[in-house]
Amino acid sequence: MMKRKINTFTVLPDTPEKLNNLQELAYNLYFSWNHEALELFQKLDPETWKMAKDNPVRMLCLVPQEKLEEAAKNQEYQDELAATYDRFKKYMEATTWFDREFGERVESTIAYFSAEYGIHECLPIYSGGLGALSGDHIKSASDLGVPLVAVGLLYSQGYFRQHLNAAGMQQETYPLTDWHSKPVKLVKGEEDKPLLGQVAMKGETIYFHIWRVNVGRVALYLLDTNIQENKKEHRLITKTLYDPDREIRLQQEILLGIGGYRAL
């Protein structure tokens, strides 16, 4: 019997104009340490929020159109959205500690590289201590106004999830991440095409795309080799965080270091 491939499509609701500011809030991980922003999404529809698993971008993909229309007509919700968005804009535009101490700088000047960033559960590119440290570091840089840009890798499956089977034994799964429903965006150049970087490894050229994550005032750039320009084995470089294969781990480090420098 011939197997047929099944494709999944997400039909996006039409966000009312009065709720447009939700889009900007959804695509900035400012919400990860300013929870009043997350509450706006939860209040749209608590059941859909559970399905979205605390992911504002996914929430805006799943929420029923009628719930958006109700929120657009709810003055109390509108007032809360306006107040939260106003605090966000004031945060983004405020004079920071760094500005007061050292004067304003137009461009980011400090590059921070890490294999993982633990910022929020909707961005599954971390496993533990280093991720928490890296995530807190760039959150603090945002609060202080330090001119910092961060670089990491976009893992298609991230770190494994754990559960116990019927015998009480630990089992691991590696769920595939749908990055188009996460608070990340492809960096594009001329003709609205994704920027294509490259780095040499063992005499071969490895290509990568660059994704941007806004973390308050800080930009986090994530490199991704899971693209059609690469051979199958090269697409696996950014498949898993801390891959057990030593060769792939070394390739990840080369991509992060040399590729990250070229990306910047």
Side-chain angles (χ1 to χ4, degrees), residues 46-214:
E47 289 303 313
T48 304
W49 181 243
K50 291 180 182 178
M51 293 172 56
K53 297 181 179 179
D54 295 350
N55 176 0
V57 174
R58 184 63 176 159
M59 175 69 180
L60 293 178
C61 295
L62 297 175
V63 64
Q65 184 68 44
E66 58 268 23
K67 294 293 183 178
L68 293 173
E69 299 295 343
E70 289 175 11
K73 297 176 182 177
N74 185 324
Q75 189 58 51
E76 182 179 349
Y77 186 86
Q78 287 299 310
D79 291 343
E80 187 173 348
L81 171 58
T84 301
Y85 185 74
D86 183 60
R87 285 193 293 271
F88 167 68
K89 296 302 287 185
K90 287 181 178 178
Y91 171 86
M92 295 295 289
E93 298 167 1
T95 299
T96 67
W97 168 85
F98 188 92
D99 295 333
R100 292 190 296 270
E101 293 293 320
F102 304 103
E104 296 184 13
R105 294 191 184 186
V106 177
E107 298 180 356
S108 299
T109 57
I110 303 167
Y112 183 86
F113 290 71
S114 179
E116 56 172 309
Y117 291 90
I119 303 169
H120 188 263
E121 54 264 34
C122 73
L123 195 70
I125 55 171
Y126 65 95
S127 66
L130 175 61
L133 174 65
S134 302
D136 286 349
H137 192 92
I138 59 176
K139 289 177 185 178
S140 297
S142 174
D143 283 345
L144 295 172
V146 176
L148 180 145
V149 61
V151 183
L153 301 179
L154 187 93
Y155 304 101
S156 58
Q157 294 185 358
Y159 200 61
F160 65 78
R161 307 294 194 273
Q162 303 176 50
H163 68 275
L164 298 179
N165 62 18
M169 301 296 291
Q170 175 182 298
Q171 298 291 302
E172 298 84 30
T173 58
Y174 290 86
L176 190 65
T177 301
D178 175 15
W179 286 109
H180 293 282
S181 65
K182 301 289 185 182
V184 302
K185 290 187 177 181
L186 261 176
V187 179
K188 297 183 178 180
E190 296 179 358
E191 300 180 359
D192 201 37
K193 293 182 179 179
L195 289 181
L196 189 66
Q198 62 183 62
V199 62
M201 297 186 198
K202 298 177 66 175
E204 295 190 88
T205 300
I206 313 297
Y207 298 98
F208 60 86
H209 281 169
I210 308 166
W211 297 72
R212 174 172 174 146
V213 184
N214 293 317

Side-chain angles (χ1 to χ4, degrees), residues 20-39:
N20 281 345
N21 290 338
L22 283 174
Q23 291 281 347
E24 189 172 350
L25 290 171
Y27 278 94
N28 194 309
L29 272 82
Y30 164 91
F31 64 69
S32 66
W33 72 101
N34 293 275
H35 294 168
E36 71 276 5
L38 283 183
E39 291 173 2

